Amino acid sequence: FFSRRNLAEFVRLSSFTHHWSTMADETERDATELRRLAELSTRPAVRSLLNTLAQEKFPLQPKLQTPADLATATNSTSASASETPAAGTTAAAKRPYTRISRYALDQSSSSVKVYITLPGVADVAPSDIELEATDSSVVVRVHNLKGCHHQFKLELAKSIVPTTSSYKVKGDRLTLILHKATAGNWSEITKADAAKAELKRAKLAERSDDPSAGIMDMMKTLYDEGDDEMKRTLAKSWEQGQRSKQNGGAGLDDL
């Protein structure tokens, strides 16, 4: 049953729809009559004038839509839009990458090889393996491996040739082949290893300028890594050195 308010709204919409339909029908009848008159005319000038008037006033176009037709078309468009997934919103794109952290490195004078073990990688389609390389880095992505995505990134200590970088799959192993820009042996392959080596060289340089600092660093390392007996021995030596220094003798800093 309709409430009084709903009934009033229904009557209003029905009247509007009827009015719209009547207007559309009248327009269509006028256009048809004008074109019929043009066809019946025997005078070329009159026929041309009527055709021009018909084209200007009533150009050929799809049948006028009623409000109900417009509502149906709008709903249909909205439904289609909601059913069509936007670019990049597929289930695969939403899944996060699992970072590959375990790998092995090898090098020759002309190339660097990266060995990655991924069980099941042989079953992955070639189109699901992406390799991106710059002159100093490499990224490989493996999609749809047992329902997961994997990603490996590596920054290199020196330059490679990106365009010749490649990979091969054999069993559960994915091997990256990176060709060096300049032939030769690299003392450090990764950028991280190069940074560690540089830090170590800087510390050695500091120790050469201050021998006592080198001795203190060595004793600190022995203390941190030693067992309880080693720590007691070092503590005792430290105390004896400090007492000797206070009494005018040679302390640890003078050794």
Side-chain angles (χ1 to χ4, degrees):
F1 292 96
F2 288 107
S3 67
R4 181 175 298 177
R5 181 178 179 181
N6 290 339
L7 183 58
E9 182 68 15
F10 175 76
V11 171
R12 187 185 68 81
L13 290 175
S14 297
S15 299
F16 178 71
T17 302
H18 176 71
H19 178 66
W20 180 282
S21 178
T22 301
M23 288 178 60
D25 291 342
E26 289 297 325
T27 301
E28 188 172 353
R29 290 193 188 98
D30 291 343
T32 301
E33 182 66 14
L34 189 56
R35 293 191 180 95
R36 189 176 68 82
L37 290 174
E39 292 173 358
L40 294 175
S41 176
T42 59
R43 302 290 295 174
V46 175
R47 186 185 304 115
S48 176
L49 180 61
L50 291 173
N51 284 330
T52 301
L53 182 61
Q55 182 62 31
E56 291 179 354
K57 297 296 184 179
F58 311 104
L60 293 175
Q61 58 184 351
K63 184 180 178 181
L64 293 175
Q65 293 178 310
T66 65
D69 295 332
L70 292 173
T72 302
T74 302
N75 293 336
S76 177
T77 303
S78 301
S80 299
S82 63
E83 292 171 1
T84 303
T89 59
T90 61
K94 291 181 179 179
R95 283 200 294 264
Y97 283 101
T98 299
R99 186 173 67 89
I100 299 172
S101 57
R102 300 186 65 180
Y103 60 94
L105 296 170
D106 192 17
Q107 68 169 315
S108 66
S109 61
S110 60
S111 66
V112 172
K113 290 186 177 180
V114 185
Y115 301 101
I116 302 171
T117 299
L118 278 177
V121 70
D123 299 326
V124 175
S127 59
D128 282 331
I129 300 178
E130 299 176 5
L131 178 64
E132 296 179 5
T134 68
D135 59 354
S136 61
S137 66
V138 62
V139 178
V140 64
R141 299 182 183 91
V142 180
H143 300 276
N144 301 317
L145 175 55
K146 299 180 180 178
C148 297
H149 300 323
H150 299 265
Q151 180 172 265
F152 172 78
K153 294 182 179 180
L154 185 66
E155 294 188 355
L156 301 163
K158 295 186 178 181
S159 297
I160 60 172
V161 183
T163 55
T164 61
S165 299
S166 61
Y167 73 88
K168 64 180 181 180
V169 177
K170 185 176 182 180
D172 290 337
R173 175 179 286 179
L174 175 64
T175 303
L176 312 182
I177 302 98
L178 314 174
H179 293 278
K180 297 178 179 179
T182 304
N185 186 69
W186 294 359
S187 55
E188 290 83 29
I189 297 178
T190 69
K191 187 176 181 179
D193 288 343
K196 290 178 182 178
E198 182 62 29
L199 181 60
K200 186 175 182 180
R201 286 191 288 269
K203 287 185 176 180
L204 288 175
E206 290 177 359
R207 290 175 183 176
S208 63
D209 295 338
D210 185 3
S212 64
I215 294 175
M216 294 303 295
D217 286 345
M218 181 187 66
M219 292 191 66
K220 184 177 184 303
T221 300
L222 290 173
Y223 186 87
D224 290 340
E225 298 179 357
D227 56 16
D228 292 341
E229 183 64 28
M230 174 65 73
K231 290 179 179 180
R232 281 194 294 269
T233 300
L234 289 173
K236 184 177 180 180
S237 297
W238 172 262
E239 291 176 359
Q240 291 176 348
Q242 290 299 309
R243 284 198 297 269
S244 176
K245 187 175 182 179
Q246 290 173 359
N247 296 331
L252 282 175
D253 292 345
D254 299 322
L255 293 178

